[in-house]
Amino acid sequence: MALAGGIIVIIAFAAIIKKYEARMVLFAAGLLMCIIGGVAGNAITTFSKTMVHGTLVPVICTVMGFSFVMKLTECDRHLVESISGVITKARIILIPLAVLLTWWINIAIPSAAGCAAAVGSILIPALIAAGVHPAMAAAAVLAGTWGSAISPGTSHNPFVADLAGTDVMSVIMNEAPAAIIASFVCIIALTAISVIRNEGPSDDRRQAYLAELSEEEQNRTFKINPIYALIPLVPLVMLVLGSKQIAILPLTDVPTAMITGSILALIATRTNPQEVTKKFFDGMGSAYGSVMGLIVAAGVFTAGMAAMGLTGALIEAMKGSESVAKFAGAFGPFLIAVISGSGDAAALAFNGAITPQAEAFGMSIVDLGSLAQMAGAIGRSMSPVAGAAMVCAGLAKVSPMEISKRNAIPMLLATITFMIALFI
C-alpha cells in the first residue's frame, strides 16, 4: 500500500511540474488514495472540514481583500515609488538595494507575481536606465520575491501556526532572523555574480536603453503622497507592535489589521466606498478560490497519504534522524518549486503530512514547518516558469532562463543558510 501510495504521489507531483492544475491533481490523487485505502469518506470529510477552517479562511481572505484595496487606491504604487527613489541615488550598490527593497516590499505586498509587477515595473527600468544588464535587473527583483515568506499575509505562516497551536506572529518572529540572514547571503551572492559577469552599471547600456524610450516615457512623472505610501505598512506595524513578543499595542489579529488598513485607505484616498467594498470582497473571493482552494486540495491529498500508510512509512523512516527530516523539509519543496514554479503545493503537502510529527525527529513543528515553506518560496524565486519570473522577464524583455541562471546559486545558498541559521 505504501509503495502504491508513493507511486501515486510521484505521479501527482510530476503532473504539477507539467503545469496541470494543482488543485485538481492534489484532490484527485488524495481521493484515489482514500478509495484504495478503503476510507473514501475521509476525503470528503477533510474537504468539508478544511473549507470552513476557522483560522485560515479569515486570515487568508482578508489579506487578499486588503491587497485588492491597495491596488485600487494605488497606495501600493505610492509605497513602491517612494522607496525606489533610493535606487537612482545609490548607483554603486544598485543590485543589492534592488533585492533588499523588493524583499521588504514583498512583506507588505505578499503576492510574488503582484510584487514583481508593482516593484518590477519601476525598479527594472530604473536599473536598466542606470546601466545594469536587463537580465540582471530582472534577476535582482525576482530574487527579492520571497520576502513574503515572513509575512502574516502568506498562507503558510497561519497554516504552521495552526499546526503548532500558536499565533502567526510567534511563527514569524521565530523564522525572521534566519530569513534575514539568508536574504543577505542571497544579496551578496547575486552581487558577486554580477561583478564576475561584469553586469554592473554601464553608461553604454544606459544610453542604449534611453534611446529606446519615447519622449513621453522619459518625461513620465508620478507624484508621491507620503500618507498613501505608509498605508500598506499599517497592518504590518499593527501586527508587530501588537504581537505577544512586543505587546506595545493590544493583541491584534490579522483580519483586524487588514480591515483597519482598508478603512484607512478609503478615508485617506477618498475613494468611492462602494468601489472599495467591492474590491475588498472580490479579493476575499479570489483568495478563497485560489489559495484556500489549494489548501483544501492539499488537505485531501494528505488524508490520502495517511490512508495508504505512506505518511506512517515516511515518519518511521525519519524518526531519530533530525538531519534526514531537515534535508527533506528543505530540498523537497525547493526542488519542486524550481521545476514547477510554485512551492505552495509541495510545502502544504509536506507540512500537512510530516510536520505534525516533528517532535519524533527531535524538532519543533514551527521550525520544520517554517523550513518547508521557506524553501518552497526561495525555490520559486529562481524558477524560470514561476509567474513572478514571467513578469520580470517581460518587463526586462529577456528570457526567463537568463534570470534563472543568475539566481540559481544565490537561492541555493539562501536555502542552506536558512536551514543552518534556523537550527543554531
Side-chain angles (χ1 to χ4, degrees):
M1 287 281 283
L3 178 61
I7 293 172
I8 293 172
V9 168
I10 291 171
I11 293 172
F13 280 114
I16 291 172
I17 289 167
K18 289 287 188 180
K19 308 303 287 184
Y20 284 93
E21 166 58 49
R23 291 166 295 186
M24 177 196 73
V25 172
L26 291 173
F27 177 79
L31 179 60
L32 176 61
M33 288 189 285
C34 283
I35 292 172
I36 295 173
V39 287
N42 283 7
I44 306 304
T45 300
T46 302
F47 185 93
S48 301
K49 185 178 178 181
T50 312
M51 276 180 62
V52 292
H53 198 291
T55 302
L56 297 179
V57 174
V59 169
I60 292 169
C61 290
T62 53
V63 166
M64 190 66 83
F66 174 74
S67 176
F68 272 46
V69 171
M70 291 302 98
K71 192 167 187 64
L72 171 69
T73 58
E74 291 197 325
C75 287
D76 57 352
R77 184 179 179 187
H78 284 272
L79 171 64
V80 172
E81 292 270 6
S82 61
I83 295 178
S84 64
V86 179
I87 286 286
T88 58
K89 300 174 184 176
R91 184 169 173 176
I92 297 175
I93 52 172
L94 288 175
I95 292 169
L97 265 181
V99 179
L100 195 61
L101 290 177
T102 306
W103 199 86
W104 284 101
I105 290 172
N106 193 211
I107 299 174
I109 307 174
S111 164
C115 180
V119 177
S121 62
I122 299 164
L123 289 192
I124 290 176
L127 288 169
I128 297 173
V132 176
H133 190 284
M136 182 55 71
V141 171
L142 182 62
T145 57
W146 61 275
S148 59
I150 63 168
S151 169
T154 184
S155 61
H156 295 282
N157 287 320
F159 190 83
V160 173
D162 184 66
L163 290 176
T166 186
D167 62 290
V168 175
M169 290 310 297
S170 293
V171 174
I172 292 172
M173 293 294 187
N174 178 71
E175 67 192 5
I180 292 171
I181 293 170
S183 72
F184 280 102
V185 170
C186 171
I187 289 169
I188 292 168
L190 188 63
T191 304
I193 289 172
S194 175
V195 172
I196 292 170
R197 296 178 67 106
N198 190 28
E199 291 182 344
S202 164
D203 284 325
D204 290 341
R205 293 193 194 103
R206 178 177 182 275
Q207 294 302 326
Y209 176 76
L210 290 176
E212 294 177 1
L213 295 179
S214 66
E215 184 177 341
E216 181 182 347
E217 288 177 310
Q218 293 185 48
N219 295 329
R220 184 179 56 188
T221 59
F222 181 83
K223 188 175 180 180
I224 298 169
N225 185 314
I227 295 175
Y228 294 3
L230 289 173
I231 289 175
L233 304 176
V234 169
L236 291 176
V237 173
M238 289 178 65
L239 289 167
V240 172
L241 297 184
S243 64
K244 292 178 180 178
Q245 293 78 8
I246 297 178
I248 293 176
L249 296 177
L251 185 63
T252 306
D253 58 23
V254 174
T256 299
M258 298 302 159
I259 292 171
T260 301
S262 298
I263 293 172
L264 287 176
L266 165 64
I267 295 171
T269 63
R270 298 183 297 281
T271 306
N272 186 331
Q274 296 186 89
E275 290 299 316
V276 170
T277 304
K278 285 167 60 178
K279 277 295 178 183
F280 187 86
F281 281 97
D282 284 348
M284 288 181 64
S286 174
Y288 195 92
S290 57
V291 183
M292 273 308 302
L294 184 57
I295 292 174
V296 169
V300 175
F301 182 77
T302 300
M305 289 177 63
M308 294 289 284
L310 184 58
T311 302
L314 288 172
I315 291 169
E316 285 301 318
M318 292 183 185
K319 268 185 180 176
S321 180
E322 184 179 338
S323 60
V324 172
K326 283 182 185 177
F327 279 96
F331 294 104
F334 178 86
L335 290 173
I336 291 174
V338 171
I339 298 170
S340 69
S342 171
D344 287 349
L348 286 169
F350 184 93
N351 281 339
I354 306 300
T355 299
Q357 309 299 323
E359 291 182 2
F361 320 135
M363 303 164 68
S364 72
I365 289 176
V366 171
D367 283 347
L368 184 56
S370 296
L371 177 61
Q373 69 103 352
M374 194 70 66
I378 296 173
R380 182 204 61 230
S381 296
M382 67 160 281
S383 171
V385 295
M390 299 294 184
V391 170
C392 291
L395 290 169
K397 298 178 183 177
V398 297
S399 164
M401 281 305 300
E402 288 299 310
I403 303 174
S404 185
K405 286 192 298 186
R406 289 162 174 80
N407 280 2
I409 293 175
M411 295 307 145
L412 182 60
L413 291 176
T415 302
I416 295 170
T417 301
F418 181 81
M419 180 176 65
I420 293 171
L422 185 65
F423 294 100
I424 289 178

